[in-house]
Amino acid sequence: MMKYEAVIGLEVHVQVRTRSKMFCSCPNRFGAEPNTLVCPVCLGYPGTLPVPNHEAIVKAVRAGLLTHCKIAEVSKFDRKSYFYPDLAKNYQISQYDMPFCTGGYLEIGGGKGFSGQDLAERQVGITRIHLEEDPAKLTHFGKFTGADFNRSGVPLLEIVSEPDMRSADEAYAYLTGLKEIMRYGGIGDCDMEKGQMRCDVNISLRPFGQKEFGTKIEIKNLNSFRAAHRAVEYEMARQAEELDAGHTLRQETRGWNDDHGETYLMRTKEEAHDYRYFPDPDLMEVRLSKEEIESIRASLPELPEAMRRRMVADYGISRYDAEVLTADQDVASWFDRAAAGSDAPKQVANWTISELLRLLGETKTAIADCPVKPEQLASLVALIAKGVINNRIGKDVFAEMFRTGTAPDEIVKSKGLAQVNDDGAVAAFVDQAIAANPAQVEQFKAGNAKVLQFLVGQVMKVSRGKANPQSVVALLKEKLQ
Ligand code: ADP
Ligand code: ZN
Ligand code: MG
């Protein structure tokens, strides 16, 4: 049994999706030829003047409101000075003591955690969210390094959590939840492979029951949530071993080697930078009126967690199904429309998960291009509920809907797929199947009850799937008595 408790706080950077960069009019676009989206401002030429991007500020406020932060009516930009090849000005425009957002929280837990165990519901405090500019991107090519200034000046949010997490699963859930909110809120795409979301993990251990925190270790640049999870578990074990051996830990910054699955020392506290923050004299304070903040609040979408709870309560679906359905915002709203127009929302959820998501995946189709309208799935489910078609035929109809976008009742009509409920007609199918399978009929009569399932299948086959399955079972039993 582990005798230490982990204390974890995360610092996450999220690139804001905007048309132009933070302080100039260069496009904010990933993937262009290096150093083609640049100008004197984002190349740090002396004598140029930054002009703040209003769209980025609005999105910073949205991020704060979606995480229950207090939004400052007055904030300002500061210069963070350091010397590095990714920073042509030798300072980064950031925010120091007056960020846009402070004192919020994010809800995590309520389902299964990354490692499969239940994760209790809790709030993780958010200390602050500030807006800054991304430096250039450095790429190392063996003997030399390339700097791509297309990234220089891209608006970047830094989201700092309170040291409120206690396990790798909680850290993982926080990161997933944060990404989901940033995407739902239209703040950023958070594609980690494109560097649009980056995270540093701070972690310390303390004996269970101790109030004071232990010495914090910062792990830089985790490039996936899974890596963050692994790094936390690795550090918990490493720090526990150090403490057990009676060593005192120093405050240090470590890197993560994903191939080796271990952290390594980068620098100790003594080498820490002094960033010499001071207010940027080129930029005025930013003032946001109460009205402006309220109008941004009024434009916010429903949050995924709230959506999941509503779906569980209103549609009677499981927590797990709600998680699957809200993993993608567009899928969630597609399902919401289908379920809202149905008397059997739980069935609609089953069809969405098992058939729609499968077909979308197999055909690599985005939900936005889905040929099936949400209302059409609702009517398919209604056709099955009314007994017009059975579930089996429903799958073929759905596949056809997905191929052609045709409404289900039209497909049923034009292909003559309506279920045969007439007992006389079903009886005829039953007779045919009995006549064609004398050996199995004998087995059933001799007491082998399991053969019934086979015979049911034969009747369905004779009816080309259209016989009402309940009538088939009833009539077969009757005739075989
Ligand atoms: P620094 O000044 O070194 O950047 P901060 O106080 O700004 O430190 O905290 C940075 C991050 O580290 C925050 O996410 C915070 O929650 C977390 N943190 C602070 N102290 C600890 C600790 N003792 N153990 C784990 N995380 C911590
Ligand atoms: Zn520029
Ligand atoms: Mg800090």
Side-chain angles (χ1 to χ4, degrees), residues 160-368:
V160 182
S161 89
E162 291 290 312
D164 283 350
M165 288 156 276
R166 298 289 175 266
S167 67
D169 272 11
E170 286 193 349
Y172 189 92
Y174 172 86
L175 289 169
T176 327
L178 194 61
K179 172 172 175 176
E180 202 174 54
I181 286 180
M182 293 299 136
R183 289 170 57 90
Y184 265 72
I187 292 146
D189 297 329
C190 296
D191 185 338
M192 294 194 85
E193 292 189 350
K194 295 181 180 165
Q196 293 168 338
M197 183 173 187
R198 315 194 284 268
C199 105
D200 303 334
V201 171
N202 297 273
I203 171 168
S204 61
L205 296 189
R206 63 180 171 188
F208 275 104
Q210 178 182 306
K211 244 182 126 60
E212 300 77 42
F213 290 155
T215 307
K216 172 186 92 166
I217 305 288
E218 179 171 8
I219 314 162
K220 282 276 183 210
N221 291 329
L222 281 317
N223 53 6
S224 69
F225 295 169
R226 210 180 98 77
H229 192 275
R230 289 175 76 200
V232 166
E233 300 222 300
Y234 175 85
E235 272 301 304
M236 283 171 72
R238 186 188 70 84
Q239 292 179 26
E241 207 170 292
E242 293 283 330
L243 294 171
D244 281 343
H247 300 158
T248 30
L249 291 163
R250 301 171 298 177
Q251 202 171 316
E252 56 190 31
T253 302
R254 302 178 70 87
W256 171 249
N257 183 325
D258 208 42
D259 294 333
H260 297 175
E262 57 191 33
T263 63
Y264 57 90
L265 181 65
M266 288 171 76
R267 57 181 179 265
T268 57
K269 172 86 177 173
E270 292 76 59
E271 302 161 59
H273 298 284
D274 174 7
Y275 292 119
R276 220 166 40 87
Y277 280 99
F278 65 93
D280 192 313
D282 291 341
L283 290 159
M284 307 231 294
E285 284 177 342
V286 180
R287 289 175 183 270
L288 293 164
S289 67
K290 282 201 173 67
E291 293 71 40
E292 191 169 6
I293 295 169
E294 284 320 304
S295 89
I296 297 171
R297 193 192 303 279
S299 75
L300 296 176
E302 181 183 25
L303 278 185
E305 185 51 33
M307 196 182 264
R308 284 190 283 271
R309 289 177 192 180
R310 175 175 58 76
M311 285 175 173
V312 168
D314 294 0
Y315 301 147
I317 65 176
S318 71
R319 165 84 198 181
Y320 178 78
D321 285 354
E323 282 175 10
V324 173
L325 289 164
T326 53
D328 179 292
Q329 185 173 17
D330 295 333
V331 170
S333 56
W334 192 100
F335 164 71
D336 227 356
R337 272 174 61 194
S342 170
D343 294 333
K346 201 168 148 56
Q347 299 305 320
V348 172
N350 292 343
W351 280 85
T352 306
I353 293 169
S354 63
E355 297 301 308
L356 181 72
L357 293 182
R358 181 177 60 77
L359 287 171
L360 287 173
E362 280 173 13
T363 57
K364 297 197 169 43
T365 308
I367 185 88

